[in-house]
Amino acid sequence: MSGLKRVGLTIDGLKVQAAEGTSILKAAEQAGVVIPHFCYHPALEIEGNCRMCVVEIEGLPKLEPSCSALVREGLVVRTSTERVREARKDVLAFLLAEHPLDCPICDKAGECRLQDYYDRHGLTASRMVEPRERREKKLAIGRGLILDRERCVLCTRCVRFLRQMPGTGELGVFERGLRSEVGIFEDAPVDNGYSGNLVDICPVGAITAEDFRFKTRAWFLARKPSVCPHCGRGCAVTVESVSGYPLAKGERRVYRITARENPAVNGFWICDLGRDGRRDIDEGRHARLMKAGVPVAGLSWQTALADVAAAIRTVPGPERSAGIAVVLNGRLTCEELALAKRLFVAGLGLSKVYFADRKPGSADGLLLTAERLPNGRGVLEAGFAPRLPALDEIAAADVLLVFGPYLSEHLAEEALAKAWAGIPSKFLFSAHEGPLDRLADIVFPVAVPAEKSGTYINVDGTRQTFAQAVKPAAGVAAESAILAGLANLLALDAGGGDAR
Amino acid sequence: MSYAPSPAALEKIEGTIALYPEKPAALLPVLHIIQGESGFISAAAEAWAAAKLGLRPVRVREVLSFYTMFRRAPAGRTTLQVCRNLSCALAGADDILGLIREKLGIGPGETTSDGAVTLVTAECLGHCDHAPCLQVDGVDHGPVTRETVAALIEELKAHV
Ligand code: SF4
Ligand code: SF4
Ligand code: FES
């Protein structure tokens, strides 16, 4: 940083300092002056094709695109003079000349740059007398993405993203002039693990996701920050949900997960696996407590927790270490892990504390890590040495507490069933349905990470604290509440306020 | 669908590539060689050229579709290019196009059913001082009139 010279310039009368090599657009943004733009994206190569970002620079005869013009000592820049405003109007008029009047049925409406800018900078009536060009409106370009060529403003963000970030470059701009269009080569579709970002960066509704198309309107969505729990990267995400009114059965709650900017972790992007994590929040969830494999209505987890405490109490102090086994997982937050440590290791003196998580996948060399749990570093930091239990280690227990459904990913179901059959008391705390459900005495429905607050430490040791992004269903508890409740029932130290 | 140039064309292509410090720089001349031999450039030929030059096929398609002188489908024995850019448009290019459509029964981008003539429009043939102008297999004609065009078409028909 120290190597970068800083230069002083004036933007709209404000004295601004910016590092040499910064674009005027960025310098203005840092000073709180927002310059409208389509093609500029902070993470992509500058192309300067949309001309929406033009500004007036004292001493220069023509308007300059601020995304590509760099700051210089003493520049005097004006971003909203009459000339600039006229130019923006013209850019918008040209774009809208060939734009369909799709807003009422367009998924982007409400978060569309063209719509927003027209409202702020355009507001001109159409001067077109000719009929509009008709183009392909629902071209499947791969990975559930749909391209609408009538809506495309040819900013090439999508093309540049694919060439730069995943490096796969499936899209190009074909033809030229009026006939220019974005497309794939023959039947070679967009096919990479970061395709969903195209929907995020397309400034208009030209690239939409089948998973989201026509499902809801952008303005119905509550956007809450969270951290993706699907691998060790812990990308910053926004969970977008509808929770303002009671939902009919089968209706979606989380409509999509989008990338949230975090320069320290994921930049501007997330992978498709993380984006698809919306299903993890809404699908295959336990909504109710289960006893002996059957959901029971009207039984609260607080009441049922007494059974767990009672089972633990049946094991006399000196035998606990061998008689009680606990299986934790790396989806638990640092706070929950600390609580678990205090309760199970310090409080109850257990030695059989194991871990079971999703099986590792393969890393893609970009964001996705081989590790498919979000808090592996948090597990170590809490002082655990995570180890998968062997079948007979579980089978020997009198009381078994399992957090998460992941054991069944590692041990054969039939063998597990046989081992569990011999354990007098076994309890499962799981957000998702799975093969273990029928084996446990009681299944407690627990929250998924998006429904919790807490801290994760990613593979690089970056700590991220997040707040609750969606409310869990009634009767679904976070593990923190369950662990604290258990400590309470057993009259053990839950460590003060951090349990809640 | 596959493509392979003739040994002679391949030799020419490789010689051309060798002229440039970077392989991708040879894209335009390579496409010309392919079209020169096959009369058009198929998708398979695009993919072949891409592999040869270390480019993605998408990139070849971008370049190929940008220029009007490349053909992506087999053309007729004669190619008629009519300019419709500013000078020619003002001098009556639309009228000329209308006449050709009337006489040959094809529009821009189409080929007569007997495979004799392909009609395309061009954005400036560099012949504005002879507007309206057209090219027959690369040979300039202009300024043309309804009469000269009618005669030209008779000649083309007779030629077959
Ligand atoms: S599809 Fe979207 S991102 Fe791609 S060029 Fe068109 S408007 Fe830009
Ligand atoms: S890279 Fe990992 S943390 Fe990031 S979105 Fe994908 S699965 Fe989630
Ligand atoms: S943002 Fe500067 S030209 Fe598009």
Side-chain angles (χ1 to χ4, degrees), chain A residues 233-261:
Chain A
R233 183 72 53 201
C235 294
V237 294
T238 303
V239 179
E240 308 197 6
S241 64
V242 172
S243 53
Y245 51 88
L247 298 170
K249 197 174 157 43
E251 210 173 329
R252 274 205 221 175
R253 187 169 60 129
V254 174
Y255 275 85
R256 62 181 175 188
I257 284 177
T258 52
R260 186 161 59 84
E261 183 185 346

Side-chain angles (χ1 to χ4, degrees), chain A residues 365-383:
Chain A
L366 296 163
L367 294 173
L368 188 67
T369 65
E371 196 172 288
R372 294 296 156 87
L373 53 148
N375 204 21
R377 299 302 162 281
V379 170
L380 300 178
E381 195 196 65

Side-chain angles (χ1 to χ4, degrees), chain A residues 444-462:
Chain A
F444 290 80
V446 300
V448 293
E451 294 167 338
K452 302 201 270 199
S453 61
T455 304
Y456 282 154
I457 306 174
N458 87 346
V459 281
D460 297 323
T462 305

Side-chain angles (χ1 to χ4, degrees), chain B residues 31-50:
Chain B
L31 291 177
H32 278 299
I33 295 168
I34 294 174
Q35 177 160 298
E37 179 177 69
S38 317
F40 73 107
I41 300 163
S42 65
E46 287 177 80
W48 183 90

